[in-house]
Amino acid sequence: MALELVTIPCRSDNYAFLLHDAKAGKTALFDAPETAPILTALRDRGWTLDDLFITHHHGDHIEGVDDLRAEFGCRVIGAKADAERLPALDVAVEPGDPLDFAGHIVDVIAADGHTIGHIAFYVEDAGVAFTGDSLMALGCGRLFEGTAEQMWGTLSRLMELPDDTQICSGHEYTAANARFALSVDAQNSALIQRADNVSELRAAGQFTVPSILGEEKKTNPFLRAGQSDMKHAVGMDHASDAEVFAEIRRAKDNF
Ligand code: ZN
Ligand code: FE
């Protein structure tokens, strides 16, 4: 039976995500930016919370954790490496640890770069990855704690997932990301088309998240750092993938 995915807008530009298994009667939350909209989304559907997965320690991803735990007594899961900076964890995981939600395997993927200790979750049964502030729609998170090399490693791991994977990332930054992407990859027709589509969605007040990994590979300049036409576009034909990524990330920081 299919798992249902619900995207919940929170704060000014954050997203939280619910995954619901109707047969098991169980619900998981991925990141808790704000309590009220998450409670409303659950109550509207008559769901309670069983598991709460955290991608990283920033306040705009964990603010609602303690309130939601108090309300539902849910299991809180986060990175062992970041345990001191996260709310109290019931399950402290390391990348590769076995983990499941309602019998569905949840892969824990190391996603350092934006922060150290950032993790992503992949639920194959749902075809969904929860990437927080690592891989984002047409972008990637700023490097607050990690190096460009670490973020490139993260993006490379995520690119190994199936192309039809839905990428549930933490923010609605896509329109601004598209403007930057066009500045470094102006000849990319798939990008031009996607940027138009993003403008239309935003004008209609619609979400651009989740996005699809296969489309990200064709249009996200950070994921394209290893592709020869992208290297050429930034004048770095002979540089390593990680060097090209670092240069694109620097350019975005100064955009
Ligand atoms: Zn963050
Ligand atoms: Fe964030």
Side-chain angles (χ1 to χ4, degrees), residues 31-49:
D31 280 347
E34 186 183 10
T35 306
I38 294 168
L39 275 180
T40 301
L42 287 162
R43 288 189 178 134
D44 283 352
R45 294 166 177 81
W47 299 348
T48 57
L49 203 57

Side-chain angles (χ1 to χ4, degrees), residues 14 56 58 60-61 114 133 136 170-171 173:
N14 278 86
H56 69 294
H58 285 155
D60 63 313
H61 296 257
H114 176 68
D133 293 351
M136 308 176 89
H171 292 268
Y173 290 162

